[in-house]
Amino acid sequence: RLFIKGGLAGAAVYVAYDQGLLGSGTEGAEALKKAQETLPPAIQEWTNYLGWEVRAAQIPAPPKIDFSVSNYWNKGVHKVMSALSVAPTRACEYTAEGWKYVKDLVK
């Protein structure tokens, strides 16, 4: 079972790489656009093949994604870097508070 799970995970990574999902932001946007164009007809084809009655109104529209991944990535990097830059100062402050608390307990 471990080999099957590993094989499926490897295949998923390969498909994601092959479709351009692991590339740059523009490649990912193109892959998303292609998926949004391809998915509704594919769902309709499978429902017809399986004999299910699915009208176009019953199939939900794909979600609209109108945000820039690179902007969110940059904001996240800035947040992490600012947290890391103040970490030594905060560590000193918390250490001093901890020693003060311990000294107060010992008294």
Side-chain angles (χ1 to χ4, degrees):
R1 290 180 2 174
L2 178 66
F3 292 118
I4 292 172
K5 290 179 183 180
L8 289 174
V13 169
Y14 172 75
V15 168
Y17 176 77
D18 188 47
Q19 295 299 317
L21 296 176
L22 301 178
S24 67
T26 56
E27 290 175 353
E30 289 173 10
L32 178 64
K33 187 183 298 184
K34 186 168 65 170
Q36 287 175 339
E37 293 170 355
T38 307
L39 225 63
I43 292 172
Q44 188 65 42
E45 181 180 338
W46 273 98
T47 55
N48 291 341
Y49 177 75
L50 295 174
W52 294 343
E53 280 289 323
V54 177
R55 296 182 190 98
Q58 291 177 338
I59 298 174
K64 302 280 186 202
I65 300 176
D66 294 331
F67 66 90
S68 174
V69 175
S70 63
N71 286 343
Y72 283 102
W73 176 263
N74 291 339
K75 286 180 184 178
V77 169
H78 285 290
K79 291 280 187 184
V80 168
M81 290 302 140
S82 67
L84 289 176
S85 69
V86 298
T89 307
R90 298 277 188 223
C92 290
E93 290 173 3
Y94 294 148
T95 304
E97 288 178 19
W99 277 113
K100 182 181 175 190
Y101 178 75
V102 170
K103 286 179 184 178
D104 290 341
L105 283 178
V106 174
K107 286 183 183 179

